[in-house]
Amino acid sequence: MAALGWLTPRRRSATARSVLAGEAAAEAARKSSQTIEALEAQEVTAPAVEPEFPVAGDERAAAFFDLDNTVMQGAAIFHFGRGLYKRKFFQRRELARFAWQQAWFRLAGVEDPEHMQDARESALSIVQGHRVSELMSIGEEIYDEYMADRIWPGTRALAQAHLDAGQKVWLVTAAPVETATIIARRLGLTGALGTVAESVDGVYTGKLVGEPLHGPAKAEAVRALAAAEGLVLSRCAAYSDSHNDIPMLSLVGHPYAINPDTKLRKHARQRDWRLRDYRTGRKAAKVGIPAAAGVGALAGGTAAAVALHRRRR
């Protein structure tokens, strides 16, 4: 049996076993220390959250915001039309058309080219022969009456973040440039790109200079302004609710879909663009009704008032 002793484990002394345990513990401690250091290094070099944006102090970056349903609930040109009707610039028939177009826009959540074209032509015919200074003064009043309470707080906060970072912020809209400029100034923004109506000696002629600032025209305007301002478009941001503005959104390095229509939402998701939806309620998410409007579907009750008047007659 003694010859088989080498097959059995050799019994170590208590001291030897302690030494072995100590060495094993020390080795485990050394490895765990290395693991902790590696994890800590990863936490330092790989932030858990996305980089801060906008980048403070980046003066070669700017932000471009669509207006209708992005910054403001509804369409600015329709609100402007309501204000002009109140001041007897046109008759009830035109008001009913404005109200219907505004209702359609709010219910569908998208721009109808025919409606927008009709609204622009109506506005041009209405202001023809009036002085630019007169319409600017009236525009200030209309902003207070119909627009100030329809600014989306969430979008306004995004614009303010760019301003706080020392960047310029521009509205880019198919609305008349005079109206857009008033809104931009009231919101503390840098300025506005908008549709330019022809004027001679300070009086509107009823014609446009070029075409409405819509779709691809917006992208061209942003590109031209960026060149003039020395901006780097890859460091700029753009915000819109409409698929019509995909050319403008695609132009910048930081595109945002705000209260997006169905086509823009799909496009944004496919390209991993950031989305923000400040509408609330299940129905609003589907069709784009600003649930916080509180003024009814028909242009703040204006069309409803027209219908009521007709029923009484």
Side-chain angles (χ1 to χ4, degrees):
M1 296 294 293
L4 299 176
W6 62 276
L7 292 174
T8 61
R10 181 178 301 176
R11 297 191 63 184
R12 299 176 182 269
S13 66
T15 301
R17 291 197 301 273
S18 297
V19 170
L20 183 61
E23 290 175 348
E27 179 66 14
R30 189 179 67 84
K31 290 181 178 180
S32 66
S33 176
Q34 292 174 346
T35 301
I36 292 173
E37 290 176 356
L39 291 174
E40 290 177 344
Q42 290 178 5
E43 290 177 357
V44 172
T45 57
V49 296
E50 63 185 47
E52 182 179 353
F53 183 81
V55 179
D58 187 359
E59 296 182 354
R60 301 198 69 187
F64 302 94
F65 284 79
D66 169 57
L67 177 57
D68 297 344
N69 217 33
T70 302
V71 172
M72 175 187 296
Q73 299 173 30
I77 194 170
F78 299 138
H79 297 315
F80 187 65
R82 293 174 61 195
L84 293 182
Y85 170 76
K86 179 181 177 180
R87 291 159 177 82
K88 303 186 184 303
F89 272 68
F90 56 92
Q91 302 301 313
R92 191 179 301 276
R93 178 173 57 84
E94 286 82 9
L95 173 65
R97 185 171 72 251
F98 267 99
W100 159 244
Q101 291 167 341
Q102 170 71 346
W104 192 96
F105 178 67
R106 292 174 66 109
L107 288 168
V110 295
E111 298 170 347
D112 181 280
E114 292 185 3
H115 286 180
M116 300 301 289
Q117 178 66 22
D118 184 36
R120 280 188 291 270
E121 291 177 354
S122 297
L124 286 170
S125 64
I126 290 167
V127 302
Q128 182 178 3
H130 289 273
R131 300 198 65 80
V132 175
S133 57
E134 175 191 8
L135 270 295
M136 287 291 289
S137 177
I138 292 174
E140 296 280 357
E141 299 172 1
I142 292 175
Y143 177 85
D144 291 327
E145 293 169 1
Y146 298 110
M147 301 180 186
D149 293 337
R150 290 176 170 80
I151 302 300
W152 290 107
T155 312
R156 178 69 185 87
L158 291 174
Q160 189 61 48
H162 286 278
L163 293 171
D164 292 343
Q167 298 175 6
K168 293 182 178 180
V169 178
W170 303 83
L171 291 180
V172 188
T173 174
V177 67
E178 293 86 357
T179 301
T181 299
I182 291 171
I183 297 170
R185 183 174 57 78
R186 290 298 193 95
L187 296 178
L189 309 183
T190 307
L193 296 164
T195 298
V196 179
E198 182 184 77
S199 63
V200 177
D201 297 328
V203 178
Y204 287 112
T205 66
K207 300 178 182 179
L208 290 182
V209 177
E211 63 179 9
L213 198 68
H214 186 263
K218 285 188 177 182
E220 294 303 320
V222 168
R223 184 182 285 110
L225 182 63
E229 293 280 323
L231 303 173
V232 179
L233 286 171
S234 63
R235 285 146 62 175
C236 293
Y239 303 78
S240 179
D241 72 296
S242 174
H243 69 279
N244 293 315
D245 289 338
I246 287 176
M248 178 180 74
L249 294 170
S250 301
L251 198 62
V252 301
H254 302 277
Y256 283 77
I258 305 295
N259 305 327
D261 61 32
T262 301
K263 290 183 180 179
L264 178 57
R265 184 181 294 273
K266 180 180 179 180
H267 188 91
R269 284 176 172 169
Q270 290 174 343
R271 287 156 180 77
D272 199 28
W273 290 356
R274 297 173 184 174
L275 288 91
R276 300 285 188 274
D277 201 326
Y278 300 117
R279 300 164 297 189
T280 58
R282 185 176 180 181
K283 191 174 183 181
K286 288 185 177 180
V287 300
I289 300 174
V295 292
L298 298 181
T302 304
V306 173
L308 178 61
H309 177 80
R310 288 176 176 173
R311 285 199 298 271
R312 285 175 176 172
R313 293 179 61 183

